[in-house]
């Protein structure tokens, strides 16, 4: 697994410094124009950019038949897919950690925005990533990793992850509102945090099933 993880790193290592510079530049722009949730917006944009860059590298691997060569090695095909997930989630953790650390030095003008950012914003970022990564890679494989397929896979991952997370988050908030007989505007912060954590569980379950489906498709294509 260590070797597979390092292979993913070497695929994108030349672009990592560009990704970090992009995050710093974007963060400076958003802070300068005093945009709420500047750290989250920056981290989100950079993560999408990093994911797109990764898929572009994977597209080149497909074009050069490296992935076909990889399948001939004495490797568990499930671990090949898992290593790609772990690498992308590691990138997500790095990006979101940078955003979080920077956010500690730049407080929102309105206190409630700080509360919402840490109780909802960062949780949503993580839940989004849990679905976006596997969905985009699944469609990338199904569409054979060409240039059009790469773009479509990225857009489908973005759309489906946003849709499922907003739907799940909204549904949980309404559920707790009805079950506690409290209007949404007066829901307590523990309930909002609980909604986010439950959404994390649902996102993880969805990710697991997509992972299994991706492994199945990957094995079929290797035959």
């Amino acid at each position: 697994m260590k070797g597979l993880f390092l292979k993913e790193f070497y695929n994108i290592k030349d672009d990592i410094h560009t990704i970090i510079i992009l995050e710093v530049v974007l963060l400076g722009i958003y802070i300068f124009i005093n945009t709420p949730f500047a750290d989250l917006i920056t981290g989100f944009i950079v993560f999408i950019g990093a994911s797109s860059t990764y898929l572009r590298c994977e597209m080149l691997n497909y074009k050069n038949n490296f992935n076909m060569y990889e399948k001939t090695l004495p490797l568990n095909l499930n671990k090949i897919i898992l290593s790609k997930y772990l690498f992308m989630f590691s990138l997500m953790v790095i990006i979101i950690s940078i955003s979080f650390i920077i956010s500690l030095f730049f407080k929102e003008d309105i206190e409630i925005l700080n509360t919402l950012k840490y109780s909802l914003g960062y949780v949503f970022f993580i839940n989004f990533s849990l679905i976006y990564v596997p969905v985009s890679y699944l469609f990338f494989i199904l569409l054979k990793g060409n240039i059009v397929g790469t773009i479509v896979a990225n857009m489908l991952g973005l759309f489906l992850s946003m849709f499922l997370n907003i739907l799940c988050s909204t549904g949980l908030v309404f559920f707790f509102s009805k079950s506690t007989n409290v209007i949404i505007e007066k829901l307590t912060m523990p309930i909002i945090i609980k909604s986010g954590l439950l959404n994390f569980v649902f996102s993880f379950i969805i990710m697991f099933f997509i992972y299994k489906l991706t492994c199945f498709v990957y094995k079929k294509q290797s035959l």
Side-chain angles (χ1 to χ4, degrees):
M1 178 61 73
K2 179 182 177 181
L4 290 172
F5 188 89
L6 287 175
K7 190 270 289 183
E8 303 303 330
F9 170 75
Y10 292 140
N11 273 345
I12 199 175
K13 70 180 180 68
D14 292 335
D15 297 295
I16 289 179
H17 67 282
T18 304
I19 292 170
I20 294 175
I21 292 173
L22 175 63
E23 180 163 13
V24 173
V25 170
L26 284 176
L27 186 60
I29 293 173
Y30 284 120
I31 290 175
F32 179 76
I33 60 178
N34 197 26
T35 304
F37 301 153
D39 50 308
L40 273 173
I41 295 172
T42 301
F44 187 81
I45 293 174
V46 171
F47 179 68
I48 298 300
S51 300
S52 301
T53 301
Y54 177 76
L55 285 181
R56 176 179 60 81
C57 293
E58 280 292 285
M59 179 188 70
L60 294 175
N61 284 336
Y62 263 76
K63 184 178 180 180
N64 297 325
N65 292 319
F66 178 81
N67 283 5
M68 187 61 67
Y69 166 75
E70 189 175 47
K71 293 172 183 177
T72 65
L73 300 175
L75 298 171
N76 186 314
L77 297 185
N78 288 11
K79 287 187 176 181
I80 293 177
I81 300 297
L82 182 60
S83 68
K84 299 178 187 298
Y85 281 22
L86 290 177
F87 177 75
M88 287 308 300
F89 290 143
S90 297
L91 270 183
M92 180 269 292
V93 170
I94 293 172
I95 291 170
I96 204 172
S97 296
I98 293 173
S99 294
F100 177 78
I101 291 172
I102 292 175
S103 75
L104 299 178
F105 299 95
F106 297 96
K107 297 293 184 181
E108 302 293 340
D109 293 335
I110 305 174
E111 185 60 33
I112 187 63
L113 293 181
N114 277 310
T115 304
L116 290 175
K117 179 166 64 176
Y118 295 121
S119 61
L120 285 179
Y122 279 95
V123 174
F124 181 85
F125 193 159
I126 295 171
N127 293 340
F128 167 85
S129 304
L130 287 176
I131 298 179
Y132 168 70
V133 170
V135 167
S136 59
Y137 197 78
L138 172 61
F139 280 103
F140 173 82
I141 292 176
L142 289 173
L143 298 172
K144 307 298 184 181
N146 54 51
I147 181 64
V148 176
T150 301
I151 296 173
V152 171
N154 201 38
M155 294 303 296
L156 285 173
L158 180 62
F159 172 77
L160 288 176
S161 183
M162 290 289 286
F163 174 76
L164 289 174
N165 271 289
I166 290 174
L167 181 65
C168 188
S169 298
T170 305
L172 285 169
V173 169
F174 273 104
F175 169 77
F176 282 117
S177 175
K178 293 293 184 182
S179 62
T180 56
N181 293 318
V182 177
I183 61 174
I184 294 176
E185 290 81 359
K186 293 186 177 181
L187 282 176
T188 60
M189 198 52 59
I191 291 180
I192 294 176
I193 294 174
K194 188 183 297 184
S195 298
L197 293 176
L198 279 175
N199 191 15
F200 173 81
V201 173
F202 294 148
S203 297
F204 188 85
I205 292 172
I206 293 172
M207 181 207 71
F208 178 78
F209 281 109
I210 297 175
Y211 164 71
K212 287 296 184 181
L213 178 59
T214 304
C215 291
F216 174 78
V217 173
Y218 196 72
K219 287 177 182 178
K220 286 294 183 182
Q221 288 187 349
S222 69
L223 298 177

